[in-house]
Amino acid sequence: MRENVFDPISLLPKLGVLIDWEVGSPHFISSFFAAVLFCILLLAIRDALSKFWGAKGHVAFFSKLLDGVTEENLVKKQHELRSTAKANTEHGLLWLEFDESLVSSQDGEKLYNTLDASHFFNTHNLARGLTE
């Protein structure tokens, strides 16, 4: 009676047939597709890491921009925040759009926004490509 033993090594593609370019080999097609899928995986990982570092840069910029800013001193620091955002052409445009939605109170002591901050600072704007 024949014993049925599972051999996981037999499932791995034989990449040697690709190196030797043995087109007639029965393992050539499976090894070729495995190599193509592995290349696609590497490209996808590279793209995801690129998007991740870009999103991390956006969040880091806004964290640094708002470091030390409180609700009480926001009006006093608004000009400084705006000039810092103007200086950074990569990340600052989003802050400038948000800043346009801010209006000061009649006494000039508080700022109110006409649009919700999540309209500007959301996953679509901060992590485009990574979360979509």
Side-chain angles (χ1 to χ4, degrees):
M1 181 170 339
R2 185 175 158 210
E3 188 176 317
N4 192 4
V5 178
F6 176 68
D7 181 19
I9 300 297
S10 67
L11 294 177
L12 296 176
K14 302 194 179 357
L15 297 178
V17 253
L18 289 179
I19 295 169
D20 297 335
W21 202 253
E22 297 176 21
V23 180
S25 170
H27 299 288
F28 181 80
I29 291 178
S30 63
S31 297
F32 178 77
F33 282 119
V36 168
L37 288 175
F38 184 71
C39 290
I40 291 171
L41 172 70
L42 290 178
L43 290 173
I45 289 172
R46 186 199 67 177
D47 188 50
L49 287 175
S50 169
K51 301 291 184 187
F52 170 75
W53 289 114
K56 191 171 178 163
H58 281 304
V59 173
F61 170 77
F62 291 116
S63 294
K64 185 178 176 186
L65 181 70
L66 296 175
D67 192 34
V69 176
T70 62
E71 195 174 320
E72 293 78 29
N73 67 2
L74 181 60
V75 174
K76 295 175 184 131
K77 291 195 171 201
Q78 184 182 15
H79 180 70
E80 178 186 332
L81 293 171
R82 192 180 303 131
S83 63
T84 304
K86 280 182 184 177
N88 189 315
T89 57
E90 184 179 358
H91 306 293
L93 295 176
L94 189 59
W95 180 264
L96 294 174
E97 284 184 40
F98 174 70
D99 189 60
E100 290 175 3
S101 74
L102 299 176
V103 291
S104 59
S105 61
Q106 289 183 353
D107 60 1
E109 294 294 318
K110 291 189 176 189
L111 282 176
Y112 297 99
N113 53 341
T114 57
L115 292 172
D116 192 31
S118 65
H119 177 75
F120 300 98
F121 307 106
N122 54 46
T123 57
H124 179 73
N125 289 335
L126 295 177
R128 186 179 311 245
L130 185 61
T131 57
E132 296 172 347

